[in-house]
Amino acid sequence: MSRNTKINLLLLAVVAALAVLPLALGLGDHKDEPFAGADGEAETAITEIEPDYEPWFSPLYEPPSGEIESALFSLQAALGAGVLAYYFGLRRGRRQGEQRALEREGDTGSVLAGAGGKSADGRD
């Protein structure tokens, strides 16, 4: 097994553990909504510290339901992942193209060097 395969398997195991361990250990059982987002947690903490707190501004768009809000968040995450994947793919493609160009230049140079500057029939 190659080194890259071992690293990929290790990373896959870590991601699986991060997804399964909170569920298996029951880390959110004491809460009403065990897996609420950080925004809800922050709002709860702020109202406990300062009950009369007034937000500085309101959102530009308030989705009509939680499902639509989740769908918009998923769309945003998918678009971000697509942009990142495109960027990294483009970088890798350019790097591979440069390597191939260098290999072709090296092959051309070795063919010319092997000929010793002579023509195909052996004359100068």
Side-chain angles (χ1 to χ4, degrees):
M1 193 179 315
S2 73
R3 181 173 181 255
N4 285 339
T5 304
K6 289 178 184 176
I7 290 172
N8 287 340
L9 289 175
L10 178 66
L11 289 173
L12 184 62
V14 168
V15 168
L18 285 173
V20 172
L21 283 177
L23 296 171
L25 297 176
L27 295 179
D29 289 345
H30 64 282
K31 298 179 181 178
D32 292 334
E33 294 182 30
F35 298 105
D39 293 342
E41 295 287 328
E43 184 179 347
T44 303
I46 290 170
T47 53
E48 285 178 4
I49 295 170
E50 183 68 40
D52 298 329
Y53 175 77
E54 289 292 325
W56 293 357
F57 56 89
S58 61
L60 296 175
Y61 172 69
E62 188 72 33
S65 70
E67 291 83 10
I68 293 175
E69 185 177 358
S70 295
L72 290 174
F73 181 76
S74 299
L75 179 65
Q76 178 185 0
L79 287 172
V83 168
L84 284 175
Y86 175 78
Y87 171 74
F88 287 122
L90 185 67
R91 264 186 69 195
R92 182 175 181 172
R94 286 184 179 170
R95 188 178 36 205
Q96 286 177 347
E98 289 173 358
Q99 287 176 347
R100 288 181 185 145
L102 289 174
E103 288 172 2
R104 275 189 241 130
E105 287 177 9
D107 290 344
T108 305
S110 65
V111 169
L112 291 176
K118 297 182 180 181
S119 64
D121 61 359
R123 290 183 284 168
D124 286 334

